[in-house]
Amino acid sequence: MATYQGGINILTFTGDSINIDYLKRGFDIPSNIILCISPDKDGNLWFGTADKGAFKILFSKSNETVVKTYNTEHGLQDNTIWDIHCDTRGLVWFGTNSHGVYSLDTK
């Protein structure tokens, strides 16, 4: 679950109980202000932030989690990402604050 100023909450349901894990800025992710979330064709999750661009959480078969950040220093045109759409060709589309909509080929 993406939150505004609370980072990401990961909810795990087991029987009648709920476990909540938190990913927060400085520990795992670049920002706590998450505006959007989208899965890509490989099952990874993309997050757009209000202040630090976008980041992708990659999940591996060995249960290792890697966070990769994309911002203006890494080729994005804007660090405020309002919407993300991952298409079937591997392009990631960003709706931004001041640069409209554009795509990034992450291959």
Side-chain angles (χ1 to χ4, degrees), residues 45-66:
L45 295 176
W46 285 81
F47 297 85
T49 73
D51 57 347
K52 301 292 184 184
F55 63 94
K56 174 172 65 169
I57 297 181
L58 297 93
F59 300 99
S60 71
K61 293 179 181 174
S62 64
N63 289 331
E64 181 182 350
T65 302
V66 176

Side-chain angles (χ1 to χ4, degrees), residues 66-79:
V66 176
V67 176
K68 181 163 180 161
T69 301
Y70 297 84
N71 55 34
T72 54
E73 295 176 10
H74 302 99
L76 289 188
Q77 297 177 21
D78 196 326
N79 279 335

Side-chain angles (χ1 to χ4, degrees), residues 90-102:
L91 293 175
V92 180
W93 294 85
F94 300 97
T96 69
N97 197 50
S98 60
H99 286 86
V101 176
Y102 64 93

Side-chain angles (χ1 to χ4, degrees), residues 78-97:
D78 196 326
N79 279 335
T80 301
I81 308 297
W82 288 101
D83 197 17
I84 297 176
H85 173 74
C86 302
D87 70 20
T88 57
R89 297 176 296 163
L91 293 175
V92 180
W93 294 85
F94 300 97
T96 69
N97 197 50

Side-chain angles (χ1 to χ4, degrees), residues 4-72:
Y4 188 83
Q5 295 186 341
I8 301 167
N9 299 333
I10 301 171
L11 306 176
T12 307
F13 298 91
T14 308
D16 291 336
S17 66
I18 299 172
N19 184 47
I20 302 174
D21 292 312
Y22 303 96
L23 298 177
K24 295 205 181 246
R25 180 174 170 237
F27 178 70
D28 297 296
I29 60 175
S31 176
N32 283 335
I33 307 172
I34 310 298
L35 300 176
C36 58
I37 181 173
S38 181
D40 67 16
K41 65 183 183 69
D42 298 320
N44 303 307
L45 295 176
W46 285 81
F47 297 85
T49 73
D51 57 347
K52 301 292 184 184
F55 63 94
K56 174 172 65 169
I57 297 181
L58 297 93
F59 300 99
S60 71
K61 293 179 181 174
S62 64
N63 289 331
E64 181 182 350
T65 302
V66 176
V67 176
K68 181 163 180 161
T69 301
Y70 297 84
N71 55 34
T72 54

